[in-house]
Each structure stands twice: as C-alpha cells, then as structure tokens.
Amino acid sequence: MIEAIIFDLGDVFLNLNHQASVDAFKKLGLNAWTDDLKAAAILFETGKIDELQFMETIQKHLPNANLVEIREAWNAIIGDFPLERLEFLEKLQNKYDIFLLSNTNPTHIDKFEHRVGLTFAREFYAHFNKIYFSYEIKERKPDAAVFNLILKQNNLSPKKTLFVDDTLEHIEAAKALGINTWQILVGQDDVTNLFDKKIV
C-alpha cells in the first residue's frame, strides 16, 4: 500500500517547452549544447556555481549576446501550469505524504514563480510535506543519494513510496532502490490520471 508520493516538477506539474529554449539560443548563435555547457548546467543545478557564473559560461560561446538575452533564452523552457493539476494535489493531501523533487536551478524557479504568480506558487508548494530542489540540497537525480536522503529524512519505506517522473533514467534509479514508480509519458499521460493507473 502506497503511503508517500514523490513528484517531479517539470513536465509533471509544470509544462516545459524544451524547443523554445533551443530556438532562443539558436537565434543568439548557439547551435549546440557543448560538454562544458552541460557540465556547467549540472554545477548550477547542484548549487556549486551561481547564476552569474553560469550565464557567463554560456556567454563565452555567445560573445555578442548580453546576460539578459541569455537569461531569457534559458528561461524560455518554462511553460504553463494547468489549474487541474493543482486541484489534483488537493485530493491527495489528506491521503498521502507528498514530496516535490526537482532537478532545477534558482533562475528557473524564479521564472516559474513569476509565470504562475507568487500566490499560485505558494499554494502549490503548501500541498507538499517537503520540497527538494537540487540546487538547495546539492544532490540531483538520478543519483541514489537524493532518493536515500528523502527516504531517510522522512522515515519512508521504499515499498510504500511511489515516485512519479517523466525521465526514464530517474525512474530506473528509483526502481533500483525498491521504490514504486510511474513514468509519465509527456503528451500521452497526465499526472491527474494517477488514480486511473491503479498504482495507488
């Protein structure tokens, strides 16, 4: 029997538009996300470098772009948040312990909060027992450490915990620890259909 649910944020509750960010960077002259940029993004997601350091790393590849343009391209990925997903959370609140676990960075969280409005964001956050953002906890999926941290801090049993994410690599990492999983297939599934899946 499931007692706790750990949810991802992007493409589970918040829609992401990866192509919009790719297109925005292409307009600035960046055609490929290089290995050093990938490494910098991981450092940014785990709180090891700050926003300015990250933006300046990107700027080395885009000498003609200013930091505001780079920030806007980086944030172009942030999409909408359907209201029914917030209403869905309200149905879960008294039945399960629920947690939010996201590989993210302060720039995207700031954009998300401004996009949906602080009142909406606070209402969303209030539904969770605890929120785990990678840049705050200095750990990220799919590392086992991030799952073990949540399990240990909240005295959760893996076999009584469900993890919901859209990325297969993250799902497999949770499964390896004995956690129940549901991989959301973007464009096919919606988190609001959780009860239809007969997982909980």
Side-chain angles (χ1 to χ4, degrees):
M1 183 180 166
I2 299 298
E3 295 177 354
I5 308 175
I6 304 168
F7 289 102
D8 180 28
L9 173 60
D11 275 334
V12 172
F13 290 106
L14 174 68
N15 289 328
L16 299 180
N17 190 340
H18 297 274
Q19 195 58 45
S21 194
V22 169
D23 292 345
F25 275 118
K26 276 186 179 175
K27 281 184 182 175
L28 295 177
L30 185 68
N31 294 313
W33 204 249
T34 61
D35 287 344
D36 66 317
L37 290 178
K38 289 174 188 172
I42 290 173
L43 291 175
F44 190 33
E45 271 191 357
T46 51
K48 295 180 174 72
I49 59 174
D50 62 23
E51 181 185 283
L52 181 58
Q53 289 171 304
F54 179 59
M55 297 297 162
E56 286 179 340
T57 301
I58 299 175
Q59 195 175 37
K60 288 174 186 173
H61 296 260
L62 296 169
N64 297 319
N66 63 49
L67 293 176
V68 173
E69 291 171 324
I70 292 169
R71 193 177 198 269
E72 286 175 354
W74 177 247
N75 277 337
I77 193 173
I78 304 298
D80 65 318
F81 190 123
L83 182 60
E84 61 267 21
R85 293 178 185 166
L86 184 64
E87 294 167 345
F88 159 76
L89 270 181
E90 289 163 7
K91 296 174 186 173
L92 295 181
Q93 228 179 347
N94 298 319
K95 296 179 181 177
Y96 306 95
D97 290 325
I98 55 176
F99 304 88
L100 189 66
L101 170 61
S102 177
N103 284 357
T104 189
N105 58 82
T107 309
H108 280 164
I109 292 301
D110 183 58
K111 177 66 176 180
F112 157 64
E113 291 174 352
H114 281 84
R115 176 84 191 252
V116 301
L118 278 176
T119 301
F120 186 101
R122 286 192 190 112
E123 188 179 345
F124 171 63
Y125 294 151
H127 288 87
F128 297 95
N129 294 51
K130 195 162 183 180
I131 292 167
Y132 294 87
F133 289 148
S134 60
Y135 70 93
E136 293 178 336
I137 61 172
K138 309 291 191 282
E139 301 282 359
R140 69 191 291 276
K141 300 172 285 187
D143 293 345
V146 77
F147 297 104
N148 286 325
L149 175 72
I150 298 175
L151 294 172
K152 187 176 179 183
Q153 280 191 355
N154 301 284
N155 295 314
L156 304 180
S157 163
K159 65 182 178 182
K160 294 181 180 178
T161 302
L162 173 67
F163 173 58
V164 180
D165 197 291
D166 63 301
T167 304
L168 180 59
E169 188 181 12
H170 302 166
I171 290 289
E172 289 176 341
K175 270 185 186 172
L177 296 172
I179 300 170
N180 299 280
T181 61
W182 176 31
Q183 183 188 4
I184 285 185
L185 303 176
V186 180
Q188 296 179 43
D189 297 323
D190 196 283
V191 69
T192 57
N193 298 326
L194 174 63
F195 294 107
D196 299 337
K197 297 289 178 179
K198 305 288 191 284
I199 307 169
V200 294

